[in-house]
Amino acid sequence: RYLTPEENHAANLEYARRHPLAFRVFVKAFGLGYPLKALEDERRKYAESLRLVAIRPGNERLRSARRTNEYHSAGGSEVKVLISGGGIAGPTLAYWLQKSGHEVLLVEQSPQLRSGGYVIDFWGVGYVIAQKMGLIPRIRELGYQVREVRFVDEHGRKRGGFAVDVFSRMTNGRFTSLPRSELAATIYHTIDGKVETVFGDSIAKIEDRSNSVLVSFDHAAPRKVDLVIGADGLHSRTRELAFGPEASFEVPLGYHVA
């Protein structure tokens, strides 16, 4: 069924609370009549969080080296981490863990990097992280600098739409759109040859032991690691193995997409 106006309003307010900046952009683009002044405090907090993570590369290298030295001087040791999922989150995490000196195994169910997926809008915290990885020039090269979104009828005649320059203004130009597969491939190339990657396989069983985790696969021999991380998407097999069927944890938000 369709949402009632009251349900839709409540859902929008909840989204505004959780994602204030994204909601402001949405309202600005579509001209919705929500009181934006009520979101100013959340917007400022979000902007401050972006400022805090947007550290100059030189300073970040110094801080990273300091953290690494403190870690080893405190008796820290290399951690063996298994990441399930070779999309966007998995290789990104693998990059930072490998950079921190840990041993990483990346497992992807697909026999190769996936080539499908929609065009996605890339901005916000993801943009900041990609910048710290030195990927923004390549991402912008692959991206589309969209100027307008149009709604057309069956004859291709314009029936509505909106300009998207508002997104660029709201993010100070830190916004682009690109195919999901291109973004995933760009991230993966930062770890290719540096992180052990197994394609065409998936986790079949997770056995949590006292000081390690024994992981069995559909095809490969079992491996013993210190930590297992599921980055295998919406219907995560890793999450299901660890916590049970996803139906037990789904929370309807009242939105329907066709």
Side-chain angles (χ1 to χ4, degrees), residues 22-250:
F23 186 74
R24 286 177 61 87
V25 172
F26 182 80
V27 170
K28 189 77 172 177
F30 289 95
L32 302 179
Y34 283 92
L36 294 181
K37 284 189 176 181
L39 302 173
E40 280 301 315
D41 288 342
E42 287 81 0
R43 186 196 66 78
R44 280 194 292 269
K45 291 176 183 177
Y46 186 88
E48 179 65 13
S49 71
L50 290 182
R51 188 189 70 77
L52 290 175
V53 298
I55 305 167
R56 285 183 300 172
N59 287 347
E60 176 57 23
R61 283 194 293 270
L62 177 62
R63 290 159 66 117
S64 177
R66 185 181 298 131
R67 285 195 299 268
T68 302
N69 291 338
E70 291 173 352
Y71 175 76
H72 289 299
S73 64
S77 59
E78 181 182 272
V79 175
K80 295 181 179 179
V81 183
L82 189 157
I83 302 174
S84 176
I88 293 175
T92 301
L93 179 58
Y95 170 87
W96 290 107
L97 288 174
Q98 188 273 333
K99 189 178 178 68
S100 298
H102 301 295
E103 180 182 340
V104 181
L105 170 63
L106 182 66
V107 179
E108 166 56 41
Q109 184 178 24
S110 175
Q112 58 192 10
L113 288 178
R114 299 176 187 269
S115 58
Y118 290 103
V119 170
I120 61 175
D121 295 328
F122 190 66
W123 60 293
V125 176
Y127 198 103
V128 173
I129 294 173
Q131 187 171 44
K132 294 172 74 173
M133 295 171 68
L135 300 178
I136 292 302
R138 177 58 177 165
I139 288 174
R140 294 194 68 88
E141 178 186 344
L142 294 168
Y144 302 97
Q145 310 315 313
V146 180
R147 293 176 295 179
E148 182 184 6
V149 173
R150 295 180 181 176
F151 303 110
V152 300
D153 60 20
E154 65 270 23
H155 302 293
R157 293 189 295 259
K158 183 178 178 179
R159 287 291 181 262
F162 56 91
V164 299
D165 58 342
V166 61
F167 294 99
S168 182
R169 293 198 305 270
M170 293 287 288
T171 60
N172 294 319
R174 299 156 70 86
F175 179 94
T176 190
S177 302
L178 76 164
R180 182 188 183 282
S181 57
E182 296 282 12
L183 176 60
T186 300
I187 296 171
Y188 178 77
H189 289 155
T190 65
I191 61 170
D192 193 12
K194 301 177 182 178
V195 169
E196 181 184 0
T197 305
V198 176
F199 286 102
D201 211 343
S202 185
I203 296 177
K205 183 180 179 181
I206 300 175
E207 184 180 341
D208 193 358
R209 298 184 172 183
S210 58
N211 58 356
S212 65
V213 182
L214 182 64
V215 182
S216 301
F217 302 92
D218 289 338
H219 307 294
R223 300 281 286 266
K224 187 170 71 171
V225 298
D226 299 305
L227 179 66
V228 176
I229 298 175
D232 44 353
L234 180 63
H235 304 291
S236 169
R237 188 176 186 183
T238 307
R239 183 167 55 238
E240 183 172 354
L241 288 170
F243 304 108
E246 65 178 41
S248 303
F249 304 95
E250 289 179 341

